[in-house]
Each structure stands twice: as C-alpha cells, then as structure tokens.
Amino acid sequence: MPINDTAERPALRPVPAGTAPADGELSWQETALCAQTGPELFFPEPGSSTREAKMLCGICEGREACLEYALTHDERFGVWGGLSEQERYALRRRRAGRR
C-alpha cells in the first residue's frame, strides 16, 4: 500500500492569526499558477525533477513575489519562485556576500 506522504509536505499556507502580512504581501497567491496544481509538482520526492515546476513558475505573474516570500520566510523545501532549495540557498549566500 503506498504511503500518502503529500500530507507531510509543506504547501502555500495561511499566515497565522495575529501576524497579518502587510497589505498585498500574499496577494500573489490568489492568482499563482501553483495554486491551480497539486503540491507534489512543487514538493517532489528527493532526487525527482523540478523541471516542470520551474517551467510553470517561469510563466507565473507571481514568480518574483513568491521568490521574495520564500527568501524572507526562509522556506527550505520545494520550488518557490522558480528556484529549488539549493538555488535559493545559493542566492541567499550571494546576497549576504554583497552586504
């Protein structure tokens, strides 16, 4: 019997009560293409391809806001804003090196 591990994977999540984001901070989620697909595309099994998720991100109007959200909130899993975990980590390091 296959294990349903999608429940363990993070997804776009609401902001907890009392920590409301600034106006429009999460408005990109309303029209994000990822919201119209399953989370398994953006949170693939280790070693699986992220190519399809990145292609979808590439045509999404919310890509830049999504990436900034992931960087600001230290999202460590999945594809956010068209970048994988490793790519976001490298970007954070590059940004930190410019300061």
Side-chain angles (χ1 to χ4, degrees), residues 3 22 26 58 78 96:
I3 297 172
L26 298 178

Side-chain angles (χ1 to χ4, degrees), residues 14-34:
V15 176
T19 58
D23 288 341
E25 182 182 353
L26 298 178
S27 63
W28 57 270
Q29 287 185 356
E30 294 173 12
T31 58
L33 296 176
C34 59

Side-chain angles (χ1 to χ4, degrees), residues 1-6 8 45:
M1 171 187 281
I3 297 172
N4 181 0
D5 62 352
T6 58
E8 297 176 17
E45 293 293 324

Side-chain angles (χ1 to χ4, degrees), residues 23-89:
D23 288 341
E25 182 182 353
L26 298 178
S27 63
W28 57 270
Q29 287 185 356
E30 294 173 12
T31 58
L33 296 176
C34 59
Q36 301 169 32
T37 63
E40 58 279 349
L41 186 65
F42 296 91
F43 298 95
E45 293 293 324
S48 297
S49 176
T50 58
R51 181 178 30 220
E52 290 180 25
K54 290 178 178 184
M55 286 174 44
L56 197 57
C57 289
I59 60 172
C60 183
E61 293 178 11
R63 188 188 71 75
E64 289 180 25
C66 176
L67 177 57
E68 285 306 316
Y69 176 87
L71 293 171
T72 300
H73 294 89
D74 197 25
E75 291 291 345
R76 296 185 185 211
F77 301 100
V79 174
W80 290 78
L83 299 182
S84 68
E85 298 98 334
Q86 295 86 3
E87 293 164 331
R88 288 192 310 278
Y89 177 75

